[in-house]
Amino acid sequence: MSAEARMPEASSIVTIDSLDLDAQGVARQSNEEGGKVLFIRGALPTERVTYTITREKARFAKAKLHELIKPAVYRTTPRCTYFGTCGGCSMQHLDFAAQIAIKQRILEDDLWHIGRIKPDEILRPIAGPAWHYRHRGRLSVIDRSIKKGTILVGFHEHNSSYVADMLTCEVIPKRISDLLVSMRELVGSLSIRDRVPQIEFAVGEDISQPGITQIALVIRHLLPLTPTDLKNLEAFAKYHQVGIWLQPQGPESAKPFYPTEQSLSYTLPEFGVTLPFLPTDFTQVNHAVNQVLISKAIALLDIQASDRVIDLFCGIGNFTLPIATLAKEVLGIEGSKTLTQRALQNARHNQLDHKTQFSQSNLFEVTATDLNGWGKADKWLIDPPREGAMEICKAMQDLPTANLPKRIVYVSCNPKTLARDAAILTHELNYTLSKAGIINMFPHTSHIESIAVFDRPG
């Protein structure tokens, strides 16, 4: 008999103290300081529950909620039928306002426990639509014909390589949610049905017809498609009025199949900027929140017409181009050659290339010499991936004080790496953490984005 089979069906009652970054309830096995730490999926702070152990280690245990003895006042009924099975959302059982409050608390806790710092001011959370907000994503595909007689298209189950058997999704646009069943049928009609691992989707506006929504589906295929396969794909695209892109290898290999040309874009009306993008480009998934975020970040930069600004991890110019409408000059730096080229194209498209420069650089391996090469700038905007910007912060310690920016606005998608970098900026470089707050870019998930402002005295 396996160890898992010998595990008890349920436990004694425990009280949940907090949530971790995966939205698991955190408790102690004996409700005492010395008890083993428990991570209980489905449980919320203040609740009294019993649990079932799913994985046990020497210092902690993973568990799932067995019985809810006393629910939290902010527990709510999940809107999605597949909540608890699909791993795409982990907070739908938590009231929307409470989700935001808990994320804010996690940010503040990480800043203190990791960085030993508290912001002078907590910013009002940036939030937007709670449902159908996700305009970019990757759907996994699996051929389950032997077991279930069908193809599955959707997000992975929680902590699993299996794909959830889902027919709808409440966080992706309704038009794409309504296509989930049809996408199953499409993949099932292909001769290489077992060699199509994923379908990415991207939603944008038609660049030639602002306000007209365009949907692109990027189909990853590991073997060549037959003429019949191509005929089926074209018929699908025509009937559902979507674009089909084919990706035989890496992201750079993705090309439009039908129609043969498709142009996606998103607009930033406040700044009069339009950003064309490819469906495989990195763009923010939540267009509504992205607009508010850009407006807030630029307001916090307090840009003057004489300012030179550096935008680190600039991508396709999401912040760079709006900044360029206000500043004297902007330098955008990005590690990807493809994105750097796309940013330059977007600057030209918006007639802002006379105020922008773009440079490709590995921002995870920079030195003070590299930073000096960028030239002096009054303000920096940093928007790194989850790994953060530690090498940049370290390299700043070797810069002459006069070359350090007076203000840094740091947009983070990981509160722990933000807190680590904040410790360097404040304790080693004499910056003040003036403001910080969360950005609810991914409602109903445990993903936390945030924004912070660092100022140097004088």
Side-chain angles (χ1 to χ4, degrees):
M1 181 180 294
S2 69
E4 185 171 343
R6 292 195 300 269
M7 289 178 182
E9 180 64 23
S11 67
S12 57
I13 298 173
V14 296
T15 300
I16 306 302
D17 299 319
S18 60
L19 279 187
D20 73 353
L21 279 178
D22 294 319
Q24 300 173 113
V26 182
R28 289 195 177 271
Q29 202 160 31
S30 62
N31 277 332
E32 297 175 0
E33 186 64 29
K36 180 183 289 188
V37 175
L38 295 168
F39 298 95
I40 306 174
R41 185 166 171 248
L44 296 173
T46 74
E47 291 186 335
R48 289 172 58 78
V49 305
T50 63
Y51 57 90
T52 302
I53 296 289
T54 57
R55 184 181 178 191
E56 191 147 16
K57 295 288 188 179
R59 300 180 63 183
F60 69 90
K62 298 275 190 177
K64 62 182 179 181
L65 177 66
H66 180 78
E67 183 180 2
L68 185 58
I69 308 299
K70 179 186 176 184
V73 295
Y74 38 73
R75 176 177 283 273
T76 190
T77 302
R79 174 165 161 169
C80 180
T81 305
Y82 310 101
F83 176 77
T85 300
C86 173
C89 296
S90 57
M91 283 188 167
Q92 280 196 31
H93 59 319
L94 182 59
D95 176 77
F96 189 58
Q99 292 179 29
I100 295 173
I102 285 176
K103 290 180 180 183
Q104 182 71 53
R105 175 57 62 87
I106 291 172
L107 170 64
E108 293 178 51
D109 286 349
D110 283 343
L111 286 170
W112 176 247
H113 293 300
I114 297 171
R116 291 296 169 186
I117 186 170
K118 293 182 179 181
D120 291 344
E121 178 186 341
I122 299 297
L123 295 169
R124 181 186 298 273
I126 296 174
W131 307 103
H132 302 300
Y133 65 83
R134 184 161 191 158
H135 287 74
R136 184 175 62 84
R138 178 178 296 167
L139 301 169
S140 296
V141 180
I142 188 168
D143 184 351
R144 295 287 292 276
S145 57
I146 296 176
K147 286 188 175 183
K148 295 193 174 184
T150 189
I151 299 288
L152 300 183
V153 177
F155 295 114
H156 283 285
E157 295 180 357
H158 177 74
N159 282 345
S160 172
S161 60
Y162 287 110
V163 176
D165 190 354
M166 52 190 286
L167 303 180
T168 60
C169 177
E170 297 291 343
V171 297
I172 66 178
K174 189 175 186 304
R175 276 188 63 191
I176 297 175
S177 174
D178 291 344
L179 286 177
L180 289 176
V181 173
S182 297
M183 281 191 271
R184 290 183 176 200
E185 295 168 352
L186 173 64
V187 176
S189 74
L190 302 179
S191 64
I192 56 167
R193 56 183 282 168
D194 60 340
R195 305 297 288 167
V196 179
Q198 68 189 41
I199 299 175
E200 290 192 58
F201 65 86
V203 180
E205 294 183 343
D206 187 327
I207 193 169
S208 61
Q209 302 180 73
I212 303 299
T213 299
Q214 291 277 342
I215 293 175
L217 301 178
V218 184
I219 298 178
R220 177 80 170 97
H221 58 99
L222 304 180
L223 291 175
L225 295 155
T226 67
T228 300
D229 293 337
L230 297 176
K231 182 178 179 181
N232 291 342
L233 290 169
E234 182 175 338
F236 181 94
K238 288 179 176 178
Y239 183 80
H240 294 289
Q241 297 185 326
V242 298
I244 295 286
W245 292 56
L246 300 180
Q247 182 187 329
Q249 297 177 348
E252 297 299 319
S253 70
K255 297 292 185 293
F257 164 68
Y258 186 90
T260 54
E261 293 184 4
Q262 185 182 32
S263 299
L264 300 174
S265 67
Y266 63 91
T267 58
L268 304 171
E270 180 179 349
F271 303 97
V273 168
T274 298
L275 286 96
F277 66 95
L278 299 180
T280 52
D281 285 343
F282 173 81
T283 55
Q284 293 289 4
V285 304
N286 192 324
H287 289 182
V289 168
N290 185 52
Q291 287 189 17
V292 180
L293 168 60
I294 291 170
S295 178
K296 185 65 174 179
I298 290 178
L300 291 171
L301 278 171
D302 189 25
I303 298 170
Q304 307 301 310
S306 59
D307 283 343
R308 181 174 188 265
V309 182
I310 293 178
D311 178 13
L312 300 170
F313 304 95
C314 70
I316 65 171
N318 189 52
F319 288 102
T320 321
L321 301 187
I323 290 171
T325 66
L326 301 173
K328 179 181 180 180
E329 179 185 339
V330 190
L331 171 63
I333 304 177
E334 170 59 50
S336 163
K337 180 179 180 180
T338 299
L339 293 181
T340 305
Q341 292 172 340
R342 197 91 69 240
L344 178 57
Q345 292 168 2
N346 287 344
R348 290 170 178 161
H349 177 79
N350 289 277
Q351 299 181 343
L352 290 168
D353 47 313
H354 65 292
K355 298 178 70 177
T356 55
Q357 292 181 313
F358 295 94
S359 176
Q360 180 190 357
S361 178
N362 183 348
L363 294 173
F364 297 107
E365 295 181 0
V366 294
T367 65
T369 301
D370 297 318
L371 272 61
N372 275 318
W374 300 342
K376 183 179 178 180
D378 308 278
K379 284 132 188 187
W380 287 8
L381 186 138
I382 306 178
D383 182 16
R386 292 187 61 81
E387 294 87 346
M390 182 171 66
E391 294 307 318
I392 294 171
C393 295
K394 285 183 175 180
M396 289 173 67
Q397 296 180 67
D398 295 323
L399 282 182
T401 301
N403 288 0
L404 291 171
K406 296 177 181 178
R407 172 166 289 190
I408 298 171
V409 172
Y410 189 132
V411 179
S412 167
C413 57
N414 184 343
K416 294 190 181 301
T417 53
L418 169 62
R420 178 202 65 200
D421 296 345
I424 299 173
L425 292 171
T426 57
H427 302 317
E428 306 298 330
L429 286 159
N430 200 31
Y431 279 90
T432 297
L433 178 55
S434 304
K435 301 177 176 68
I438 71 152
I439 309 154
N440 200 25
M441 186 72 73
F442 294 83
H444 310 298
T445 77
S446 57
H447 186 86
I448 301 175
E449 299 225 1
S450 57
I451 188 167
V453 180
F454 297 89
D455 288 306
R456 276 186 60 82

